Amino acid sequence: MERLATALLQQLIRCNTVNPPGNERPAQELLAAELEGAGFEGITMVGSSEERPNLVARLKGKADGPTLCLLSHVDTVLASPADWERDPWSGTVDDDGMLWGRGALDMKSQTAAEVAAACTLAASGWRPERGELLIVSVADEETGGSQGAQWICEHHPDLVRCDELLNEGGGPVIPFEDGRYYGVCVAEKGVFRFTITTDGIAGHASIPKMGDNALLKLAPFLQLMADRQPGLDITTGPRGMLEGLGIPVDGDPAGALAELQRRDPILGMLVEPMLGVSLAPTKISASKKINVIPASAEIRVDCRVPPGLGRELAERRITEVLGTDGYRLDFTEQVPGNESPVDTDLFRTIESWIAKEDPEAKVIPTILAGFTDSRTFRNAFPECVAYGWFPHKHQTLYETAPLVHSANERIDVRDLGYATRCYAHIIKERLGS
């Protein structure tokens, strides 16, 4: 399985699917041929354009039961070869067993591992005792999914309807003090981006006091966001993570975060955004001419809100930081986050595999400060349990996170095999061996 996953990943990386434009078809055709050769039926490629199809393949069981979906996307972000030590579309394996290329972590590796596990089982003659196995590889995740997960869930929901789903977002081992922890991503935060606008009076810039400079009025609000973040609103996933790390919340999430930051500052930095509303000012604009004092100015803020919570909380936490006077607030994007329960058979199946493969480690829930296609599937199929899970044993979270969307992206081939074996185990456990 590791050899098959490695070969598949190398071929996928050599398909340049930088989005935009995406051009995912060659990668999808490669996967379709592999799945068909292994015995999958009902292989379908559908999309909003010929160049950017979404791939669906299924393996039906002998009796009715749940549908387990292994989801991934094959588009990637841009790579600039001049910034890399190796060609980002080479798929080469170095002397240390690291496989290089754009998508090696995000997330062609998971595509390769899922397909390799499924094909190995199917080619051996295995079929589900109950339910069915669904392999879904979508386009366009990196720019929001309007031609990928969103499109297929809206236009062809019956093709991808599922009860359990594994996708990107979790899995690299987290070293903490003397322990090892694997995070299963059970939720994604929502996006509630907004604009703060200040008003003034235009004037000629050669006489600064002739007008009323709206841009200067933004400075205090920038400083307020630099000085503090809103209070915490802890949800199920982060609570379970902290308690799994041995840090009880006990009605004091701020105290729990402070304790984590004291014990592991890097992990504390990564966990903090999971625990509440976050505010990150990213763009500012004012006068269109250098010699005109601006009559209005605006800051655009990327605001993320915990899953299951929405605009009311966002407004309350924004006001907590910025107050209510001196600006106008307009939301420009509102997409609530969502979550799946932790207490499920799928979570316990993951725990049982880790207990066998890495007995000293522990499995804990986590959430993403960003979002994945899992959010789209939870919205489309509210009863679906969707987790981010791609286990890495040899590369830790601290080694993988800096490489995602960055130069020199690479994966340890041993971890590719590790994840592939895990998926094969989960398939058989959930659908019957």
Side-chain angles (χ1 to χ4, degrees):
M1 282 191 290
E2 182 177 308
R3 286 194 298 271
L4 176 57
T6 300
L8 275 174
L9 178 54
Q10 290 179 299
Q11 293 175 76
L12 288 171
I13 285 174
R14 290 164 189 159
C15 298
N16 184 338
T17 55
V18 168
N19 182 15
N23 189 32
E24 292 93 345
R25 176 169 285 277
Q28 302 288 44
E29 289 179 343
L30 183 156
L31 297 172
E34 195 72 37
L35 289 159
E36 184 177 19
F40 272 75
E41 62 258 2
I43 297 174
T44 306
M45 288 204 288
V46 292
S48 60
S49 70
E50 283 294 315
E51 296 78 16
R52 309 196 67 185
N54 302 287
L55 169 67
V56 181
R58 62 187 69 243
L59 201 62
K60 292 186 176 180
K62 302 170 186 175
D64 291 340
T67 296
L68 170 65
C69 175
L70 302 184
L71 174 67
S72 66
H73 66 84
V74 290
D75 63 316
T76 72
V77 297
L78 181 67
S80 299
D83 298 331
W84 286 59
E85 296 175 22
R86 295 172 182 262
D87 180 352
W89 294 284
S90 65
T92 57
V93 179
D94 66 20
D95 292 340
D96 296 321
M98 305 297 291
L99 197 160
W100 291 63
R102 178 56 85 220
L105 291 168
D106 182 17
M107 68 169 296
K108 289 178 176 179
S109 51
Q110 185 161 350
T111 304
E114 290 176 347
V115 171
C119 286
T120 299
L121 291 175
S124 73
W126 176 89
R127 295 295 181 271
E129 290 292 330
R130 57 189 180 276
E132 64 179 355
L133 174 61
L134 198 62
I135 302 295
V136 179
S137 172
V138 296
D140 196 39
E141 191 273 347
E142 295 292 359
T143 59
S146 63
Q147 297 184 65
Q150 292 181 26
W151 186 89
I152 200 167
C153 285
E154 178 182 351
H155 293 278
H156 297 279
D158 289 339
L159 269 180
V160 293
R161 191 180 305 277
C162 54
D163 302 290
E164 298 178 340
L165 179 144
L166 294 178
N167 185 30
E168 66 180 334
V173 70
I174 305 167
F176 177 66
E177 296 183 330
D178 295 328
R180 294 164 53 80
Y181 299 83
Y182 291 86
V184 177
C185 180
V186 301
E188 283 86 12
K189 293 179 75 175
V191 174
F192 285 79
R193 296 183 173 119
F194 63 89
T195 299
I196 296 170
T197 304
T198 54
D199 297 308
I201 299 172
H204 200 288
S206 66
I207 309 175
K209 294 184 179 180
M210 179 67 75
D212 182 17
N213 195 325
L215 182 56
L216 295 176
K217 295 180 180 182
L218 285 179
F221 301 116
L222 280 172
Q223 192 61 52
L224 286 168
M225 285 185 280
D227 290 342
R228 62 174 297 193
Q229 284 288 318
L232 303 181
D233 297 282
I234 192 165
T235 53
T236 304
R239 181 182 295 274
M241 180 181 192
L242 288 168
E243 292 176 347
L245 293 171
I247 302 175
V249 178
D250 293 335
D252 182 17
L257 175 61
E259 176 64 13
L260 176 60
Q261 292 170 330
R262 183 188 68 79
R263 291 162 65 175
D264 190 326
I266 296 176
L267 186 57
M269 178 269 295
L270 294 173
V271 169
E272 183 177 7
M274 303 180 190
L275 305 183
V277 174
S278 61
L279 307 176
T282 56
K283 300 180 75 173
I284 191 166
S285 60
S287 180
K288 294 182 179 179
K289 296 191 70 176
I290 188 64
N291 63 345
V292 177
I293 292 169
S296 68
E298 66 177 35
I299 306 169
R300 299 178 69 178
V301 181
D302 190 334
C303 173
R304 306 296 176 111
V305 177
L309 304 172
R311 176 168 173 164
E312 181 180 351
L313 174 67
E315 289 179 330
R316 177 157 55 87
R317 291 307 191 184
I318 293 165
T319 299
E320 174 188 312
V321 174
L322 301 181
T324 58
D325 298 328
Y327 67 92
R328 290 182 281 118
L329 174 68
D330 297 291
F331 283 95
T332 56
E333 188 175 349
Q334 301 180 63
V335 183
N338 55 31
E339 61 186 336
S340 293
V342 176
D343 185 15
T344 68
D345 289 337
L346 180 57
F347 197 96
R348 284 184 282 274
T349 298
I350 292 171
E351 286 182 310
S352 69
W353 190 81
I354 291 296
K356 180 178 66 174
E357 295 289 326
D358 195 355
E360 301 301 315
K362 185 175 181 180
V363 178
I364 57 175
T366 66
I367 74 169
L368 274 186
F371 61 87
T372 72
D373 285 332
S374 297
R375 185 177 69 182
T376 300
F377 274 73
R378 292 192 196 101
N379 283 337
F381 314 115
E383 300 304 314
C384 174
V385 173
Y387 292 151
W389 178 243
F390 181 49
H392 295 239
K393 184 177 183 180
H394 301 91
Q395 277 179 293
T396 71
L397 177 66
Y398 302 141
E399 293 169 309
T400 60
L403 296 174
V404 174
H405 289 199
S406 186
N408 299 322
E409 185 178 355
R410 58 197 184 273
I411 187 172
D412 192 314
V413 168
R414 294 173 297 175
D415 283 331
L416 192 58
Y418 191 63
T420 306
R421 295 194 302 276
C422 181
Y423 293 135
H425 170 83
I426 291 171
I427 291 168
K428 295 175 73 174
E429 284 292 307
R430 304 307 304 138
L431 301 178
S433 55

